CSV table of all heavy atoms in Angstrom, one decimal:
chain,number,residue,atom,x,y,z
U,1042,MET,N,-16.1,58.5,-62.2
U,1042,MET,CA,-15.2,57.9,-61.3
U,1042,MET,C,-13.8,58.5,-61.5
U,1042,MET,O,-13.3,58.6,-62.6
U,1042,MET,CB,-15.2,56.4,-61.5
U,1042,MET,CG,-14.3,55.7,-60.4
U,1042,MET,SD,-15.3,54.2,-60.0
U,1042,MET,CE,-14.8,54.0,-58.4
U,1043,SER,N,-13.1,58.9,-60.4
U,1043,SER,CA,-11.9,59.6,-60.5
U,1043,SER,C,-10.7,58.7,-60.6
U,1043,SER,O,-9.6,59.2,-61.1
U,1043,SER,CB,-11.7,60.5,-59.3
U,1043,SER,OG,-11.6,59.7,-58.1
U,1044,GLY,N,-10.8,57.5,-60.4
U,1044,GLY,CA,-9.7,56.6,-60.5
U,1044,GLY,C,-8.8,56.6,-59.2
U,1044,GLY,O,-7.8,55.8,-59.2
U,1045,ILE,N,-9.0,57.4,-58.4
U,1045,ILE,CA,-8.2,57.5,-57.1
U,1045,ILE,C,-8.9,56.6,-56.1
U,1045,ILE,O,-10.0,56.6,-55.8
U,1045,ILE,CB,-8.1,59.0,-56.6
U,1045,ILE,CG1,-7.6,59.9,-57.5
U,1045,ILE,CG2,-7.4,58.9,-55.2
U,1045,ILE,CD1,-7.7,61.3,-57.1
U,1046,PRO,N,-8.0,55.6,-55.6
U,1046,PRO,CA,-8.6,54.6,-54.7
U,1046,PRO,C,-9.0,55.3,-53.4
U,1046,PRO,O,-8.4,56.2,-52.9
U,1046,PRO,CB,-7.5,53.6,-54.5
U,1046,PRO,CG,-6.2,54.3,-55.0
U,1046,PRO,CD,-6.7,55.3,-55.9
U,1047,GLN,N,-10.0,54.8,-52.8
U,1047,GLN,CA,-10.6,55.3,-51.5
U,1047,GLN,C,-9.7,54.8,-50.4
U,1047,GLN,O,-9.2,53.6,-50.5
U,1047,GLN,CB,-11.9,54.9,-51.2
U,1047,GLN,CG,-13.0,55.5,-52.1
U,1047,GLN,CD,-14.4,54.9,-51.7
U,1047,GLN,OE1,-14.5,53.8,-51.1
U,1047,GLN,NE2,-15.4,55.7,-52.0
U,1048,ALA,N,-9.3,55.7,-49.4
U,1048,ALA,CA,-8.7,55.2,-48.3
U,1048,ALA,C,-9.5,54.2,-47.5
U,1048,ALA,O,-10.7,54.4,-47.4
U,1048,ALA,CB,-8.2,56.4,-47.5
U,1049,ALA,N,-8.9,53.2,-46.9
U,1049,ALA,CA,-9.6,52.3,-46.1
U,1049,ALA,C,-10.0,53.0,-44.7
U,1049,ALA,O,-9.3,53.9,-44.2
U,1049,ALA,CB,-8.7,51.1,-45.7
U,1050,MET,N,-11.2,52.7,-44.3
U,1050,MET,CA,-11.7,53.3,-43.1
U,1050,MET,C,-11.3,52.5,-41.9
U,1050,MET,O,-11.2,51.2,-42.0
U,1050,MET,CB,-13.3,53.4,-43.1
U,1050,MET,CG,-13.8,54.2,-44.3
U,1050,MET,SD,-15.6,54.0,-44.5
U,1050,MET,CE,-16.1,55.0,-43.0
U,1051,THR,N,-11.1,53.2,-40.8
U,1051,THR,CA,-10.7,52.5,-39.6
U,1051,THR,C,-12.0,52.2,-38.8
U,1051,THR,O,-13.1,52.6,-39.1
U,1051,THR,CB,-9.9,53.4,-38.6
U,1051,THR,OG1,-10.7,54.5,-38.3
U,1051,THR,CG2,-8.6,53.9,-39.4
U,1052,VAL,N,-11.8,51.4,-37.7
U,1052,VAL,CA,-13.0,51.1,-36.8
U,1052,VAL,C,-13.6,52.3,-36.3
U,1052,VAL,O,-14.8,52.5,-36.3
U,1052,VAL,CB,-12.5,50.2,-35.7
U,1052,VAL,CG1,-13.6,50.1,-34.6
U,1052,VAL,CG2,-12.1,48.9,-36.2
U,1053,ARG,N,-12.8,53.3,-35.9
U,1053,ARG,CA,-13.4,54.6,-35.5
U,1053,ARG,C,-14.1,55.4,-36.6
U,1053,ARG,O,-15.3,55.8,-36.3
U,1053,ARG,CB,-12.3,55.5,-35.0
U,1053,ARG,CG,-12.8,56.9,-34.4
U,1053,ARG,CD,-11.7,57.6,-33.8
U,1053,ARG,NE,-11.4,57.0,-32.5
U,1053,ARG,CZ,-10.4,57.4,-31.8
U,1053,ARG,NH1,-9.4,58.2,-32.2
U,1053,ARG,NH2,-10.2,56.8,-30.7
U,1054,ASP,N,-13.6,55.3,-37.7
U,1054,ASP,CA,-14.4,55.9,-38.9
U,1054,ASP,C,-15.7,55.2,-39.1
U,1054,ASP,O,-16.7,55.9,-39.3
U,1054,ASP,CB,-13.5,55.7,-40.2
U,1054,ASP,CG,-12.2,56.5,-40.2
U,1054,ASP,OD1,-12.1,57.5,-39.5
U,1054,ASP,OD2,-11.3,56.1,-40.9
U,1055,VAL,N,-15.7,53.9,-39.1
U,1055,VAL,CA,-16.9,53.1,-39.3
U,1055,VAL,C,-18.0,53.3,-38.2
U,1055,VAL,O,-19.1,53.6,-38.5
U,1055,VAL,CB,-16.7,51.6,-39.5
U,1055,VAL,CG1,-17.9,50.8,-39.6
U,1055,VAL,CG2,-15.7,51.4,-40.7
U,1056,ALA,N,-17.5,53.4,-37.0
U,1056,ALA,CA,-18.4,53.6,-35.9
U,1056,ALA,C,-19.1,55.0,-36.0
U,1056,ALA,O,-20.2,55.1,-35.9
U,1056,ALA,CB,-17.5,53.6,-34.5
U,1057,GLY,N,-18.3,56.0,-36.4
U,1057,GLY,CA,-18.9,57.3,-36.7
U,1057,GLY,C,-19.9,57.3,-37.9
U,1057,GLY,O,-20.9,57.9,-37.9
U,1058,TYR,N,-19.5,56.6,-38.9
U,1058,TYR,CA,-20.3,56.5,-40.1
U,1058,TYR,C,-21.7,55.8,-39.9
U,1058,TYR,O,-22.7,56.2,-40.3
U,1058,TYR,CB,-19.5,55.7,-41.2
U,1058,TYR,CG,-20.1,55.7,-42.6
U,1058,TYR,CD1,-20.5,56.9,-43.3
U,1058,TYR,CD2,-20.4,54.5,-43.1
U,1058,TYR,CE1,-21.1,56.8,-44.5
U,1058,TYR,CE2,-21.0,54.3,-44.5
U,1058,TYR,CZ,-21.3,55.6,-45.1
U,1058,TYR,OH,-21.9,55.5,-46.3
U,1059,LEU,N,-21.5,54.7,-39.0
U,1059,LEU,CA,-22.8,54.0,-38.8
U,1059,LEU,C,-23.5,54.5,-37.4
U,1059,LEU,O,-24.5,53.9,-37.1
U,1059,LEU,CB,-22.5,52.5,-38.6
U,1059,LEU,CG,-21.9,51.8,-39.8
U,1059,LEU,CD1,-21.5,50.4,-39.5
U,1059,LEU,CD2,-22.9,51.9,-41.0
U,1060,ASN,N,-22.9,55.4,-36.7
U,1060,ASN,CA,-23.4,55.9,-35.5
U,1060,ASN,C,-23.6,54.8,-34.4
U,1060,ASN,O,-24.7,54.7,-33.9
U,1060,ASN,CB,-24.7,56.8,-35.8
U,1060,ASN,CG,-25.0,57.7,-34.5
U,1060,ASN,OD1,-24.2,58.0,-33.8
U,1060,ASN,ND2,-26.3,57.9,-34.4
U,1061,VAL,N,-22.5,54.0,-34.3
U,1061,VAL,CA,-22.5,52.9,-33.3
U,1061,VAL,C,-21.3,53.0,-32.5
U,1061,VAL,O,-20.3,53.7,-32.9
U,1061,VAL,CB,-22.7,51.5,-33.9
U,1061,VAL,CG1,-24.0,51.4,-34.6
U,1061,VAL,CG2,-21.6,51.2,-34.9
U,1062,ASP,N,-21.1,52.3,-31.5
U,1062,ASP,CA,-20.0,52.2,-30.7
U,1062,ASP,C,-18.9,51.3,-31.4
U,1062,ASP,O,-19.3,50.4,-32.2
U,1062,ASP,CB,-20.3,51.5,-29.3
U,1062,ASP,CG,-19.2,51.6,-28.3
U,1062,ASP,OD1,-19.3,52.6,-27.6
U,1062,ASP,OD2,-18.3,50.7,-28.3
U,1063,GLU,N,-17.7,51.7,-31.1
U,1063,GLU,CA,-16.6,50.9,-31.7
U,1063,GLU,C,-16.5,49.5,-31.4
U,1063,GLU,O,-16.2,48.6,-32.2
U,1063,GLU,CB,-15.1,51.5,-31.4
U,1063,GLU,CG,-14.9,52.9,-31.9
U,1063,GLU,CD,-13.6,53.5,-31.5
U,1063,GLU,OE1,-12.6,52.7,-31.2
U,1063,GLU,OE2,-13.5,54.7,-31.5
U,1064,LYS,N,-17.0,49.1,-30.2
U,1064,LYS,CA,-17.1,47.7,-29.8
U,1064,LYS,C,-18.1,46.9,-30.7
U,1064,LYS,O,-17.9,45.7,-31.0
U,1064,LYS,CB,-17.5,47.6,-28.3
U,1064,LYS,CG,-16.5,48.0,-27.4
U,1064,LYS,CD,-17.0,47.8,-26.0
U,1064,LYS,CE,-16.0,48.3,-25.0
U,1064,LYS,NZ,-16.3,48.1,-23.6
U,1065,THR,N,-19.2,47.6,-31.1
U,1065,THR,CA,-20.2,47.0,-32.1
U,1065,THR,C,-19.5,46.7,-33.4
U,1065,THR,O,-19.8,45.7,-34.0
U,1065,THR,CB,-21.4,47.9,-32.2
U,1065,THR,OG1,-22.0,48.2,-31.0
U,1065,THR,CG2,-22.4,47.3,-33.2
U,1066,VAL,N,-18.7,47.6,-33.9
U,1066,VAL,CA,-18.0,47.4,-35.2
U,1066,VAL,C,-17.1,46.2,-35.0
U,1066,VAL,O,-17.1,45.4,-35.9
U,1066,VAL,CB,-17.2,48.7,-35.5
U,1066,VAL,CG1,-16.4,48.4,-36.8
U,1066,VAL,CG2,-18.2,49.9,-35.8
U,1067,TYR,N,-16.3,46.2,-33.9
U,1067,TYR,CA,-15.4,45.0,-33.8
U,1067,TYR,C,-16.2,43.7,-33.7
U,1067,TYR,O,-15.8,42.7,-34.4
U,1067,TYR,CB,-14.6,45.2,-32.5
U,1067,TYR,CG,-13.4,46.0,-32.5
U,1067,TYR,CD1,-13.4,47.2,-31.8
U,1067,TYR,CD2,-12.3,45.7,-33.3
U,1067,TYR,CE1,-12.3,48.0,-31.9
U,1067,TYR,CE2,-11.2,46.5,-33.4
U,1067,TYR,CZ,-11.2,47.6,-32.6
U,1067,TYR,OH,-10.1,48.5,-32.7
U,1068,ARG,N,-17.2,43.7,-33.0
U,1068,ARG,CA,-18.1,42.5,-32.9
U,1068,ARG,C,-18.7,42.1,-34.2
U,1068,ARG,O,-18.6,40.9,-34.5
U,1068,ARG,CB,-19.3,42.7,-31.8
U,1068,ARG,CG,-20.0,41.4,-31.5
U,1068,ARG,CD,-21.1,41.7,-30.4
U,1068,ARG,NE,-22.1,42.7,-30.7
U,1068,ARG,CZ,-22.1,43.9,-30.2
U,1068,ARG,NH1,-21.3,44.3,-29.2
U,1068,ARG,NH2,-23.1,44.8,-30.6
U,1069,LEU,N,-19.3,43.0,-34.9
U,1069,LEU,CA,-19.8,42.6,-36.2
U,1069,LEU,C,-18.7,42.2,-37.2
U,1069,LEU,O,-19.0,41.2,-38.0
U,1069,LEU,CB,-20.5,43.8,-36.8
U,1069,LEU,CG,-21.8,44.2,-36.0
U,1069,LEU,CD1,-22.4,45.6,-36.6
U,1069,LEU,CD2,-22.9,43.1,-36.3
U,1070,ALA,N,-17.6,42.8,-37.2
U,1070,ALA,CA,-16.5,42.4,-38.1
U,1070,ALA,C,-16.0,41.0,-37.7
U,1070,ALA,O,-15.8,40.2,-38.6
U,1070,ALA,CB,-15.4,43.4,-38.1
U,1071,LYS,N,-15.8,40.8,-36.5
U,1071,LYS,CA,-15.2,39.5,-36.1
U,1071,LYS,C,-16.2,38.4,-36.4
U,1071,LYS,O,-15.8,37.3,-36.8
U,1071,LYS,CB,-15.0,39.5,-34.5
U,1071,LYS,CG,-14.3,38.3,-33.9
U,1071,LYS,CD,-14.0,38.5,-32.5
U,1071,LYS,CE,-13.3,37.3,-32.0
U,1071,LYS,NZ,-13.0,37.3,-30.5
U,1072,ARG,N,-17.5,38.6,-36.3
U,1072,ARG,CA,-18.5,37.6,-36.6
U,1072,ARG,C,-18.6,37.4,-38.2
U,1072,ARG,O,-19.3,36.4,-38.6
U,1072,ARG,CB,-20.0,38.0,-36.1
U,1072,ARG,CG,-20.0,37.8,-34.7
U,1072,ARG,CD,-21.5,37.9,-34.2
U,1072,ARG,NE,-22.3,38.9,-34.8
U,1072,ARG,CZ,-23.4,39.5,-34.3
U,1072,ARG,NH1,-23.6,39.2,-33.0
U,1072,ARG,NH2,-24.1,40.4,-35.0
U,1073,GLY,N,-18.1,38.4,-38.9
U,1073,GLY,CA,-18.3,38.2,-40.4
U,1073,GLY,C,-19.5,38.9,-40.9
U,1073,GLY,O,-19.9,38.8,-42.1
U,1074,ASP,N,-20.2,39.6,-40.0
U,1074,ASP,CA,-21.5,40.3,-40.4
U,1074,ASP,C,-21.3,41.6,-41.1
U,1074,ASP,O,-22.1,42.1,-41.8
U,1074,ASP,CB,-22.3,40.4,-39.2
U,1074,ASP,CG,-22.9,39.2,-38.6
U,1074,ASP,OD1,-22.9,38.2,-39.4
U,1074,ASP,OD2,-23.3,39.1,-37.4
U,1075,LEU,N,-20.2,42.2,-40.9
U,1075,LEU,CA,-19.7,43.5,-41.5
U,1075,LEU,C,-18.5,43.3,-42.3
U,1075,LEU,O,-17.5,42.7,-41.9
U,1075,LEU,CB,-19.3,44.5,-40.3
U,1075,LEU,CG,-19.2,45.9,-40.6
U,1075,LEU,CD1,-20.6,46.6,-41.1
U,1075,LEU,CD2,-18.8,46.7,-39.4
U,1076,PRO,N,-18.6,43.7,-43.6
U,1076,PRO,CA,-17.5,43.4,-44.6
U,1076,PRO,C,-16.3,44.3,-44.2
U,1076,PRO,O,-16.2,45.6,-44.2
U,1076,PRO,CB,-18.1,43.9,-45.8
U,1076,PRO,CG,-19.1,44.9,-45.6
U,1076,PRO,CD,-19.6,44.5,-44.2
U,1077,GLY,N,-15.2,43.6,-43.9
U,1077,GLY,CA,-13.9,44.3,-43.5
U,1077,GLY,C,-12.7,43.3,-43.7
U,1077,GLY,O,-13.0,42.2,-44.1
U,1078,PHE,N,-11.6,43.8,-43.5
U,1078,PHE,CA,-10.4,43.0,-43.7
U,1078,PHE,C,-9.4,43.4,-42.7
U,1078,PHE,O,-9.4,44.6,-42.2
U,1078,PHE,CB,-9.9,43.1,-45.1
U,1078,PHE,CG,-9.6,44.5,-45.6
U,1078,PHE,CD1,-8.4,45.0,-45.5
U,1078,PHE,CD2,-10.6,45.2,-46.2
U,1078,PHE,CE1,-8.2,46.3,-46.0
U,1078,PHE,CE2,-10.5,46.6,-46.6
U,1078,PHE,CZ,-9.2,47.1,-46.5
U,1079,LYS,N,-8.3,42.7,-42.4
U,1079,LYS,CA,-7.3,43.1,-41.4
U,1079,LYS,C,-6.1,43.5,-42.3
U,1079,LYS,O,-5.6,42.8,-43.2
U,1079,LYS,CB,-7.1,42.0,-40.4
U,1079,LYS,CG,-8.1,41.9,-39.4
U,1079,LYS,CD,-7.6,41.0,-38.3
U,1079,LYS,CE,-8.6,41.1,-37.2
U,1079,LYS,NZ,-8.1,40.3,-36.0
U,1080,VAL,N,-5.4,44.5,-41.8
U,1080,VAL,CA,-4.1,44.9,-42.3
U,1080,VAL,C,-3.2,45.0,-41.0
U,1080,VAL,O,-3.5,45.8,-40.1
U,1080,VAL,CB,-4.1,46.3,-43.0
U,1080,VAL,CG1,-2.7,46.7,-43.3
U,1080,VAL,CG2,-5.0,46.2,-44.1
U,1081,ALA,N,-2.1,44.2,-41.0
U,1081,ALA,CA,-1.2,44.1,-39.8
U,1081,ALA,C,-2.0,44.0,-38.5
U,1081,ALA,O,-1.7,44.7,-37.5
U,1081,ALA,CB,-0.4,45.4,-39.7
U,1082,GLY,N,-3.1,43.2,-38.5
U,1082,GLY,CA,-3.9,42.9,-37.3
U,1082,GLY,C,-4.9,43.9,-36.9
U,1082,GLY,O,-5.6,43.8,-36.0
U,1083,ALA,N,-5.0,45.0,-37.8
U,1083,ALA,CA,-6.0,46.1,-37.5
U,1083,ALA,C,-7.1,46.0,-38.5
U,1083,ALA,O,-6.9,45.8,-39.7
U,1083,ALA,CB,-5.4,47.4,-37.6
U,1084,TRP,N,-8.3,46.1,-38.1
U,1084,TRP,CA,-9.5,46.1,-39.1
U,1084,TRP,C,-9.6,47.3,-39.9
U,1084,TRP,O,-9.3,48.4,-39.5
U,1084,TRP,CB,-10.8,45.9,-38.3
U,1084,TRP,CG,-11.1,44.6,-37.7
U,1084,TRP,CD1,-10.9,44.1,-36.5
U,1084,TRP,CD2,-11.6,43.5,-38.6
U,1084,TRP,NE1,-11.2,42.9,-36.4
U,1084,TRP,CE2,-11.7,42.4,-37.6
U,1084,TRP,CE3,-12.0,43.3,-39.9
U,1084,TRP,CZ2,-12.1,41.2,-38.0
U,1084,TRP,CZ3,-12.4,42.0,-40.1
U,1084,TRP,CH2,-12.5,40.9,-39.3
U,1085,ARG,N,-9.8,47.1,-41.2
U,1085,ARG,CA,-10.0,48.2,-42.2
U,1085,ARG,C,-11.3,47.9,-43.0
U,1085,ARG,O,-11.6,46.7,-43.2
U,1085,ARG,CB,-8.9,48.4,-43.1
U,1085,ARG,CG,-7.6,48.8,-42.4
U,1085,ARG,CD,-7.7,50.1,-41.9
U,1085,ARG,NE,-6.5,50.6,-41.2
U,1085,ARG,CZ,-6.3,50.7,-39.9
U,1085,ARG,NH1,-7.2,50.2,-39.1
U,1085,ARG,NH2,-5.1,51.2,-39.5
U,1086,PHE,N,-11.9,48.9,-43.6
U,1086,PHE,CA,-13.2,48.8,-44.3
U,1086,PHE,C,-13.2,49.7,-45.4
U,1086,PHE,O,-12.7,50.8,-45.4
U,1086,PHE,CB,-14.4,49.1,-43.4
U,1086,PHE,CG,-14.3,48.4,-42.0
U,1086,PHE,CD1,-13.7,48.8,-41.0
U,1086,PHE,CD2,-15.1,47.1,-41.9
U,1086,PHE,CE1,-13.6,48.1,-39.8
U,1086,PHE,CE2,-15.1,46.5,-40.7
U,1086,PHE,CZ,-14.3,46.9,-39.6
U,1087,LYS,N,-13.8,49.2,-46.6
U,1087,LYS,CA,-14.1,50.1,-47.7
U,1087,LYS,C,-15.5,50.7,-47.6
U,1087,LYS,O,-16.4,50.0,-47.4
U,1087,LYS,CB,-13.9,49.2,-49.0
U,1087,LYS,CG,-12.5,48.9,-49.3
U,1087,LYS,CD,-12.5,48.0,-50.6
U,1087,LYS,CE,-13.1,48.7,-51.8
U,1087,LYS,NZ,-13.0,47.9,-53.0
U,1088,ARG,N,-15.5,52.0,-47.9
U,1088,ARG,CA,-16.8,52.6,-47.8
U,1088,ARG,C,-17.9,52.0,-48.8
U,1088,ARG,O,-19.0,51.9,-48.4
U,1088,ARG,CB,-16.6,54.2,-48.0
U,1088,ARG,CG,-18.0,54.9,-47.8
U,1088,ARG,CD,-17.9,56.4,-48.0
U,1088,ARG,NE,-16.8,57.0,-47.2
U,1088,ARG,CZ,-17.2,57.5,-46.0
U,1088,ARG,NH1,-18.4,57.6,-45.6
U,1088,ARG,NH2,-16.3,58.1,-45.3
U,1089,SER,N,-17.4,51.6,-50.0
U,1089,SER,CA,-18.3,51.1,-50.9
U,1089,SER,C,-18.9,49.7,-50.4
U,1089,SER,O,-20.0,49.4,-50.7
U,1089,SER,CB,-17.6,50.9,-52.3
U,1089,SER,OG,-16.5,50.1,-52.2
U,1090,ASP,N,-18.0,49.0,-49.8
U,1090,ASP,CA,-18.5,47.7,-49.2
U,1090,ASP,C,-19.5,48.0,-48.1
U,1090,ASP,O,-20.6,47.2,-48.0
U,1090,ASP,CB,-17.4,46.9,-48.6
U,1090,ASP,CG,-16.4,46.3,-49.6
U,1090,ASP,OD1,-16.8,46.2,-50.8
U,1090,ASP,OD2,-15.3,45.9,-49.2
U,1091,LEU,N,-19.3,49.0,-47.3
U,1091,LEU,CA,-20.2,49.3,-46.2
U,1091,LEU,C,-21.6,49.8,-46.8
U,1091,LEU,O,-22.6,49.4,-46.3
U,1091,LEU,CB,-19.6,50.4,-45.3
U,1091,LEU,CG,-18.5,50.0,-44.5
U,1091,LEU,CD1,-17.8,51.1,-43.7
U,1091,LEU,CD2,-18.8,48.8,-43.5
U,1092,ASP,N,-21.5,50.6,-47.9
U,1092,ASP,CA,-22.7,51.1,-48.5
U,1092,ASP,C,-23.5,50.0,-49.0
U,1092,ASP,O,-24.8,49.9,-48.9
U,1092,ASP,CB,-22.4,52.2,-49.6
U,1092,ASP,CG,-21.8,53.4,-49.0
U,1092,ASP,OD1,-22.1,53.7,-47.8
U,1092,ASP,OD2,-21.2,54.2,-49.8
U,1093,SER,N,-22.9,49.0,-49.6
U,1093,SER,CA,-23.5,47.8,-50.1
U,1093,SER,C,-24.2,46.9,-49.0
U,1093,SER,O,-25.3,46.6,-49.1
U,1093,SER,CB,-22.6,46.9,-50.9
U,1093,SER,OG,-22.1,47.5,-52.1
U,1094,TRP,N,-23.4,46.9,-47.9
U,1094,TRP,CA,-23.9,46.1,-46.8
U,1094,TRP,C,-25.2,46.9,-46.1
U,1094,TRP,O,-26.2,46.3,-45.9
U,1094,TRP,CB,-22.9,46.0,-45.7
U,1094,TRP,CG,-23.2,45.4,-44.5
U,1094,TRP,CD1,-23.4,44.1,-44.2
U,1094,TRP,CD2,-23.6,46.0,-43.2
U,1094,TRP,NE1,-23.7,43.9,-42.9
U,1094,TRP,CE2,-23.9,45.0,-42.2
U,1094,TRP,CE3,-23.7,47.3,-42.8
U,1094,TRP,CZ2,-24.3,45.3,-41.0
U,1094,TRP,CZ3,-24.1,47.7,-41.6
U,1094,TRP,CH2,-24.4,46.7,-40.7
U,1095,ILE,N,-25.1,48.2,-46.1
U,1095,ILE,CA,-26.3,48.9,-45.6
U,1095,ILE,C,-27.5,48.7,-46.5
U,1095,ILE,O,-28.6,48.4,-45.9
U,1095,ILE,CB,-25.9,50.5,-45.5
U,1095,ILE,CG1,-24.9,50.7,-44.4
U,1095,ILE,CG2,-27.1,51.3,-45.3
U,1095,ILE,CD1,-24.3,52.1,-44.4
U,1096,ASP,N,-27.3,48.6,-47.8
U,1096,ASP,CA,-28.4,48.4,-48.7
U,1096,ASP,C,-29.0,47.0,-48.5
U,1096,ASP,O,-30.2,46.9,-48.6
U,1096,ASP,CB,-27.9,48.6,-50.1
U,1096,ASP,CG,-27.7,50.1,-50.6
U,1096,ASP,OD1,-28.2,51.0,-49.9
U,1096,ASP,OD2,-26.9,50.2,-51.5
U,1097,GLN,N,-28.1,46.0,-48.3
U,1097,GLN,CA,-28.6,44.7,-47.9
U,1097,GLN,C,-29.3,44.6,-46.7
U,1097,GLN,O,-30.4,43.9,-46.6
U,1097,GLN,CB,-27.4,43.7,-47.9
U,1097,GLN,CG,-26.8,43.5,-49.2
U,1097,GLN,CD,-25.5,42.7,-49.1
U,1097,GLN,OE1,-25.1,42.3,-47.9
U,1097,GLN,NE2,-24.9,42.2,-50.2
U,1098,GLN,N,-28.9,45.3,-45.7
U,1098,GLN,CA,-29.6,45.4,-44.4
U,1098,GLN,C,-31.0,46.0,-44.5
U,1098,GLN,O,-31.9,45.6,-43.9
U,1098,GLN,CB,-28.8,46.2,-43.4
U,1098,GLN,CG,-27.4,45.5,-43.1
U,1098,GLN,CD,-27.5,44.1,-42.6
U,1098,GLN,OE1,-28.2,43.8,-41.6
U,1098,GLN,NE2,-26.8,43.2,-43.4
U,1099,LYS,N,-31.1,47.1,-45.3
U,1099,LYS,CA,-32.4,47.8,-45.5
U,1099,LYS,C,-33.4,46.9,-46.2
U,1099,LYS,O,-34.5,46.8,-45.8
U,1099,LYS,CB,-32.2,49.0,-46.4
U,1099,LYS,CG,-31.5,50.1,-45.5
U,1099,LYS,CD,-31.0,51.3,-46.3
U,1099,LYS,CE,-31.8,51.8,-47.5
U,1099,LYS,NZ,-31.2,53.0,-48.1
U,1100,LYS,N,-32.9,46.2,-47.3
U,1100,LYS,CA,-33.7,45.2,-48.0
U,1100,LYS,C,-34.2,44.1,-47.1
U,1100,LYS,O,-35.4,43.7,-47.1
U,1100,LYS,CB,-33.0,44.6,-49.2
U,1100,LYS,CG,-32.9,45.7,-50.4
U,1100,LYS,CD,-32.1,45.1,-51.5
U,1100,LYS,CE,-31.8,46.1,-52.5
U,1100,LYS,NZ,-30.9,45.6,-53.6
U,1101,ALA,N,-33.3,43.5,-46.2
U,1101,ALA,CA,-33.7,42.5,-45.3
U,1101,ALA,C,-34.7,43.0,-44.3
U,1101,ALA,O,-35.7,42.2,-44.0
U,1101,ALA,CB,-32.5,41.9,-44.7
U,1102,ALA,N,-34.6,44.2,-43.8
U,1102,ALA,CA,-35.6,44.7,-42.9
U,1102,ALA,C,-36.9,44.9,-43.5
U,1102,ALA,O,-38.0,44.8,-42.9
U,1102,ALA,CB,-35.1,46.1,-42.4
U,1103,GLN,N,-37.0,45.3,-44.8
U,1103,GLN,CA,-38.2,45.5,-45.5
U,1103,GLN,C,-39.0,44.1,-45.7
U,1103,GLN,O,-40.2,44.1,-45.5
U,1103,GLN,CB,-38.0,46.1,-46.9
U,1103,GLN,CG,-37.6,47.5,-47.0
U,1103,GLN,CD,-37.2,48.0,-48.3
U,1103,GLN,OE1,-37.1,47.2,-49.2
U,1103,GLN,NE2,-37.2,49.3,-48.4
U,1104,TYR,N,-38.3,43.0,-45.8
U,1104,TYR,CA,-38.9,41.8,-46.0
U,1104,TYR,C,-39.5,41.2,-44.7
U,1104,TYR,O,-40.3,40.3,-44.7
U,1104,TYR,CB,-38.0,40.8,-46.6
U,1104,TYR,CG,-37.6,41.0,-48.1
U,1104,TYR,CD1,-36.3,41.1,-48.5
U,1104,TYR,CD2,-38.7,41.1,-49.1
U,1104,TYR,CE1,-36.1,41.4,-49.8
U,1104,TYR,CE2,-38.3,41.4,-50.4
U,1104,TYR,CZ,-37.1,41.5,-50.8
U,1104,TYR,OH,-36.8,41.8,-52.1
U,1105,LYS,N,-38.9,41.7,-43.6
U,1105,LYS,CA,-39.4,41.2,-42.3
U,1105,LYS,C,-40.7,41.9,-41.8
U,1105,LYS,O,-41.3,41.5,-40.9
U,1105,LYS,CB,-38.3,41.4,-41.2
U,1105,LYS,CG,-37.0,40.6,-41.4
U,1105,LYS,CD,-36.1,40.8,-40.3
U,1105,LYS,CE,-34.9,39.9,-40.5
U,1105,LYS,NZ,-33.8,40.1,-39.5
U,1106,LYS,N,-41.0,42.9,-42.5
U,1106,LYS,CA,-42.2,43.6,-42.1
U,1106,LYS,C,-43.5,42.8,-42.3
U,1106,LYS,O,-43.7,42.1,-43.1
U,1106,LYS,CB,-42.4,45.0,-42.8
U,1106,LYS,CG,-41.4,45.9,-42.3
U,1106,LYS,CD,-41.6,47.3,-43.0
U,1106,LYS,CE,-40.5,48.3,-42.5
U,1106,LYS,NZ,-40.7,49.5,-43.1
């Protein structure tokens, strides 16, 4: 670990990372389904939080099979 903090991702960054529309990111964040936080009224996300969230979604999908 380099000790340099990661820059927070914007809604546009997250939409590209997850390959979804920006509106989907807003909707999931507003519902509390996507881990994020607001800075001066704008949503921001940590990549490590998103990666953990993705892992949780994958595990949940496996249990539904």
Side-chain angles (χ1 to χ4, degrees):
M1042 186 140 213
S1043 64
I1045 299 171
Q1047 291 180 332
M1050 298 173 72
T1051 65
V1052 168
R1053 179 174 286 166
D1054 295 335
V1055 174
Y1058 187 58
L1059 298 177
N1060 198 27
V1061 297
D1062 192 88
E1063 290 180 27
K1064 289 180 183 181
T1065 301
V1066 175
Y1067 280 115
R1068 185 175 61 249
L1069 290 171
K1071 188 175 179 181
R1072 286 194 321 210
D1074 292 339
L1075 192 64
F1078 56 96
K1079 283 193 170 184
V1080 176
W1084 283 101
R1085 295 292 183 260
F1086 306 84
K1087 286 179 52 179
R1088 185 178 301 265
S1089 59
D1090 291 343
L1091 292 174
D1092 290 339
S1093 295
W1094 177 81
I1095 290 168
D1096 289 340
Q1097 290 172 351
Q1098 299 304 305
K1099 289 168 38 179
K1100 287 177 186 174
Q1103 288 175 347
Y1104 289 122
K1105 289 183 181 180
K1106 288 183 178 181

